[in-house]
Amino acid sequence: MTHQSEFALVGAQRKSADRTRAETIKDAVGVEIVAGKLGANVRADSHGWRCDCPVCKGEGTVKISAHGEAWHCHACSAQGDVITFVEVAKGRGFLRACHWLEELIESRAAPCASTGNLFSGGASGSADPRKGSDARSGLQSAARPEGGEQS
């Protein structure tokens, strides 16, 4: 094997590992949780959540999907997943955003001493449109009023 083909193989392996790392993060935490942690004023609506945009700073202009896997700003058209939300909000590149998210996930993995719950308090409450705690990792999401309507 030539030196150049060895670099290509290592590069392909690294890209595969980065994709696996990203998918693991996306499965573990939703945009609504991260947005709340970053102070983006998350609030439930009838089909997911709304929050302030990390790009244009528009108040309530970001729609977060019901399962927390994607976001889209209706004012500036910025969009993405949980990793891109951190990239934009914290001004970090992909690898640093992944590292920040992994630290967040690890810091919230141990049960709260007083309640025994994971991610006690969540982004701004306890209920979740996915019926209780986040099925991905037990993390609790932003509050959703009874009946799914915004109050």
Side-chain angles (χ1 to χ4, degrees):
M1 187 179 290
T2 68
H3 191 63
Q4 198 171 35
S5 60
E6 287 177 25
F7 280 124
L9 179 60
V10 169
Q13 290 170 339
R14 175 182 251 166
K15 286 180 184 178
S16 178
D18 287 345
R19 276 193 293 273
T20 301
R21 180 182 187 191
E23 292 306 316
T24 300
I25 290 167
K26 291 180 210 178
D27 288 344
V29 65
V31 176
E32 76 285 1
I33 295 167
V34 171
K37 179 73 175 168
L38 294 171
N41 191 25
V42 178
R43 54 206 167 278
D45 75 6
S46 60
H47 300 289
W49 296 270
R50 291 216 171 259
C51 73
D52 302 340
C53 182
V55 177
C56 71
K57 311 300 182 212
E59 293 182 16
T61 59
V62 169
K63 173 71 176 152
I64 301 171
S65 62
H67 296 288
E69 72 277 0
W71 62 280
H72 177 263
C73 178
H74 295 284
C76 71
S77 298
Q79 62 185 355
D81 57 27
V82 69
I83 298 170
T84 57
F85 195 93
V86 173
E87 287 176 316
V88 171
K90 296 190 72 63
R92 296 185 176 194
F94 175 80
L95 293 176
R96 290 186 66 209
C98 286
H99 181 72
W100 186 87
L101 285 161
E102 289 165 338
E103 286 181 344
L104 173 67
I105 293 163
E106 288 174 19
S107 73
R108 301 302 185 169
C112 177
S114 63
T115 64
N117 292 333
L118 296 174
F119 209 70
S120 184
S124 63
S126 61
D128 177 323
R130 290 168 286 203
K131 299 183 175 106
S133 64
D134 185 321
R136 293 174 284 197
S137 65
L139 302 177
Q140 290 184 352
S141 301
R144 178 181 231 26
E146 287 298 316
E149 297 297 319
Q150 175 108 12
S151 52

